[in-house]
Amino acid sequence: MPTTPTFRASGLASGLDTTSIVNDLVKIESRTIDLTRKQQDAFKAQVSSIGDVMSKLTALRTAASALGANGALAVRASSTNSGFSASPSSSAASGRYSLQVDELAQAARGRSQAFAGGATAQVTGGTLGLTIDGATTSVTLDDGMTLTQAADRINRSGAAVSASVLETNGQSFLSVTRRDTGFVVGQPASSALQIAEISSGSMGQPLGLAITQPAVNALVTVDGLSFERRGNVIADVVPGTTISLSRKTTTPEDLVLATSTTDTQAALKRFTDAYNDAMKVVRGALAIGEQTDRRRTLGGDPSLRGLQSALQGLVVGEANPGSSVRTLADVGIKTQTDGSLSIDATRLERAIAADPSAVNALFQTATTGIAAATTTMVDRFTLGSNSILELRKSGLDRSIRQLDSRIESLQLRVDSFRERLVKQFTAMEKVVGQFKSIGDFLTSREKQGSKE
């Protein structure tokens, strides 16, 4: 904000406090600037409120999209198993499976002959061929390089193996392990890792690498059917569930997947919390009390009124017409007196027991589902420059900029007014000073004449 030095006219000639007079007159003239600034601050407060609302709507959209992508039902493994663990995803369904771990997957391993002298023992130069799933990587071994250097050369070759030096009982070995377990199903186990060595140097001794552990695939039996997989983490046998094998078992174990009302409620609560946060901000922005500065609020704003109605529409609208679970109320999500949502666990449990797939469909149904409806509604208010709240915010920003220009113009007028006052009072003091000098001269002459 432009500033003008305070007027310091002495007022010695006139006897008036001209400094205070000028400052008071300028203060009166500046009232329009003060009022304009207050109006601008009010617009900025409204912009801030709209920003808060948009942030909460984005969070609501994210929470709804998660339910649309993953569903609301949460399934957990309720059985305790010794040979494996199960991690159901959102697409898993409750059920019981018989599962036996017949074999654990293992990676192919190779080991060199024994070297004396530790990791610094020298290796005969030559070429090492590492064939993995039919693709060969050639590794050059320098004559006289140490075991440690050879391991590093292998690790840097790009082959899908890891090499390290192991020491035991005064002897050192170079160990090579395939990074992935198992082998391509249908191919021989030897295809996982083959090692060929050609020695051409004269120093040290050849590695003499040989396969010590052939690759092994995991074998599991599920409900009497056999499955062979390359790894011990299997995600395509039990639908929607990842099975992590830990040890072989000799008898089948029951894997029990059950819908968890507690976990489902927790998933729904993330949505209701986001909804409540959004509704709270909207209601707060619209609220007008006795002490409310109406200029700084969005009370009565049609954009927020429309948003409030749209939020309420999500709760009462039919998201899955024709189903036993059509609205949020059907899964126990109900509106409280303050407009917020709560979850009735008992009603949710009944809905899950009656038709679990319908609970997911409530959120996942295309176009009408809660996820789709929420996304459409939030985008209408926040997405892009033509969205409802962005247009409202842009209008306020434009008004703020216009007031900036008005304040600048008013300040120039006030500065000019001050300058005129300073000149006028300075001229007045000069005239008064001159009259005072004349008066003093006449008074002195009069005193001299009386003496004569």
Side-chain angles (χ1 to χ4, degrees):
M1 178 185 71
T3 58
T4 304
T6 303
F7 176 54
R8 299 293 183 185
S10 64
L12 294 177
S14 64
L16 298 173
D17 186 359
T18 51
T19 297
S20 296
I21 293 173
V22 170
N23 289 338
D24 288 345
L25 289 172
V26 170
K27 186 175 181 180
I28 293 172
E29 188 71 13
S30 299
R31 285 179 179 174
T32 304
I33 294 179
D34 295 337
L35 292 174
T36 304
R37 248 188 215 107
K38 287 182 179 179
Q39 184 179 10
Q40 188 182 56
D41 289 342
F43 286 155
K44 289 179 179 179
Q46 292 180 29
V47 169
S48 178
S49 295
I50 291 176
D52 290 342
V53 171
M54 294 177 72
S55 175
K56 298 302 183 184
L57 288 178
T58 299
L60 174 60
R61 186 186 194 280
T62 300
S65 295
L67 292 176
N70 304 320
L73 286 181
V75 176
R76 87 170 39 163
S78 60
S79 57
T80 301
N81 304 107
S82 62
F84 60 90
S85 60
S87 301
S89 69
S90 59
S91 62
S94 57
R96 181 182 294 269
Y97 303 86
S98 172
L99 195 150
Q100 180 172 324
V101 182
D102 301 307
E103 192 67 71
L104 292 175
Q106 297 185 54
R109 300 176 186 274
R111 189 173 64 234
S112 71
Q113 62 177 314
F115 282 74
T120 60
Q122 292 184 320
V123 175
T124 302
T127 301
L128 190 66
L130 302 173
T131 302
I132 297 173
D133 296 337
T136 300
T137 301
S138 182
V139 181
T140 300
L141 303 176
D142 299 333
D143 200 24
M145 71 190 316
T146 65
L147 275 178
T148 299
Q149 291 171 332
D152 183 65
R153 183 71 58 83
I154 293 171
N155 288 330
R156 292 174 179 271
S157 68
V161 297
S162 60
S164 59
V165 178
L166 306 177
E167 298 186 30
T168 178
N169 298 324
Q171 294 182 315
S172 299
F173 300 84
L174 185 117
S175 176
V176 176
T177 304
R178 170 77 188 267
R179 289 177 188 162
D180 298 325
T181 58
F183 54 92
V184 176
V185 177
Q187 297 294 317
S190 59
S191 65
L193 176 62
Q194 296 175 334
I195 304 173
E197 182 179 359
I198 300 175
S199 298
S200 57
S202 59
M203 302 176 65
Q205 65 185 70
L207 286 175
L209 280 167
I211 300 298
T212 55
Q213 167 63 61
V216 178
N217 280 345
L219 298 175
V220 294
T221 301
V222 179
D223 289 348
L225 298 176
S226 296
F227 297 87
E228 179 181 2
R229 297 292 184 267
R230 296 189 63 172
N232 292 315
V233 179
I234 304 173
D236 60 348
V237 172
V238 177
T241 303
T242 298
I243 306 295
S244 299
L245 310 182
S246 56
R247 72 179 186 88
K248 293 171 62 174
T249 57
T250 55
T251 57
E253 296 182 88
D254 279 347
L255 166 62
V256 181
L257 302 179
T259 302
S260 169
T261 301
T262 301
D263 292 347
T264 300
Q265 183 174 350
L268 292 177
K269 189 174 185 300
R270 287 189 283 272
F271 170 76
T272 58
D273 284 349
Y275 177 95
N276 290 342
D277 288 344
M279 183 59 85
K280 182 179 179 180
V281 172
V282 172
R283 288 169 62 90
L286 288 171
I288 298 178
E290 292 183 2
Q291 305 300 320
T292 302
D293 184 350
R294 291 174 178 266
R295 296 171 303 176
R296 300 177 64 86
T297 72
L298 293 165
D301 186 284
S303 300
L304 284 197
R305 290 290 182 195
L307 174 58
Q308 186 179 43
S309 296
L311 285 169
Q312 293 168 343
L314 289 177
V315 180
V316 300
E318 287 196 5
N320 191 20
S323 168
S324 59
V325 179
R326 297 174 298 169
T327 67
L328 288 175
D330 292 331
V331 293
I333 297 178
K334 56 186 180 181
T335 306
Q336 303 184 101
T337 55
D338 62 354
S340 63
L341 300 181
S342 65
I343 302 174
D344 183 337
T346 301
R347 189 163 185 177
L348 173 61
E349 188 171 10
R350 286 202 301 265
I352 292 173
D355 193 348
S357 62
V359 175
N360 274 343
L362 179 70
F363 296 91
Q364 295 182 312
T365 298
T367 308
T368 61
I370 295 296
T374 302
T375 297
T376 300
M377 184 273 292
V378 172
D379 288 351
R380 183 161 58 92
F381 279 88
T382 66
L383 184 64
S385 58
N386 290 323
S387 62
I388 295 173
L389 292 182
E390 280 291 354
L391 286 172
R392 185 72 178 91
K393 181 173 173 293
S394 296
L396 290 169
D397 287 336
R398 186 164 52 253
S399 296
I400 291 170
R401 291 193 298 270
Q402 290 171 347
L403 290 179
D404 274 333
S405 299
R406 175 169 170 76
I407 290 171
E408 185 177 352
S409 176
L410 289 171
Q411 186 64 54
L412 290 174
R413 191 174 74 180
V414 169
D415 292 344
S416 177
F417 177 68
R418 177 187 287 276
E419 187 177 349
R420 286 199 310 274
L421 289 177
V422 170
K423 288 180 179 180
Q424 290 169 353
F425 276 97
T426 300
M428 181 197 73
E429 289 290 338
K430 184 177 181 180
V431 171
V432 172
Q434 290 174 346
F435 280 123
K436 187 175 182 182
S437 297
I438 294 172
D440 290 343
F441 172 74
L442 293 176
T443 300
S444 64
R445 293 287 293 179
E446 182 180 356
K447 289 181 179 179
Q448 288 177 2
S450 62
K451 290 179 180 179
E452 294 176 355

